[in-house]
Amino acid sequence: MHNKTTVRKVLTRTSIFLACMALFMLVSLMVADTAMKHPTEAAAFRNWMQSTRYGWLIWRLALYALIAWGLWKIRHAPGFREEYRRPLQRISVASVLFIALCEYAMFTGPGA
């Protein structure tokens, strides 16, 4: 009985993950289709994003600071136990690496 529930949980999680990936792919294809049907507007939007990139950088830095503050609050919460420290640290390091990679890609991409 225990094995069936475990398999069912794994299948449910897998199907949710695949559904989210399919939805993300569908939305991405719809955006690409819209950009191909309206190239002038897509180019104008890209130019606007490029011209305001430092404003967006400030916005992202504010979000990163908010995330860091949230992690600090979690770490110093009254019920935080020592065995949670390592997983939180791993999540934080992975997040920082991902953020650094995204920011690198933003500022070294075409037109940067």
Side-chain angles (χ1 to χ4, degrees):
M1 187 70 167
H2 176 69
N3 195 18
K4 280 187 175 182
T5 58
T6 304
V7 170
R8 183 172 288 149
K9 284 182 183 179
V10 169
L11 288 176
T12 302
R13 288 181 181 167
T14 303
S15 62
I16 290 171
F17 174 75
L18 291 175
C20 288
M21 291 300 292
L23 180 65
F24 180 75
M25 188 183 315
L26 180 67
V27 170
S28 298
L29 288 172
M30 289 171 59
V31 168
D33 181 58
T34 303
M36 288 172 48
K37 287 180 180 174
H38 306 284
T40 313
E41 290 87 350
F45 179 72
R46 185 187 183 295
N47 289 338
W48 176 76
M49 288 295 290
Q50 187 68 26
S51 67
T52 59
R53 68 182 178 267
Y54 294 110
W56 290 110
L57 175 63
I58 292 169
W59 170 249
R60 289 191 311 273
L61 289 174
L63 291 178
Y64 301 152
L66 185 65
I67 291 170
W69 176 79
L71 287 171
W72 186 86
K73 290 293 279 184
I74 290 170
R75 175 72 174 93
H76 292 90
F80 191 83
R81 294 190 295 210
E82 193 57 33
E83 61 261 22
Y84 301 150
R85 187 178 63 80
R86 298 288 296 188
L88 184 63
Q89 195 173 26
R90 282 194 300 268
I91 290 169
S92 300
V93 168
S95 298
V96 166
L97 290 174
F98 180 72
I99 288 169
L101 180 66
C102 289
E103 291 301 325
Y104 177 76
M106 290 290 291
F107 281 95
T108 60

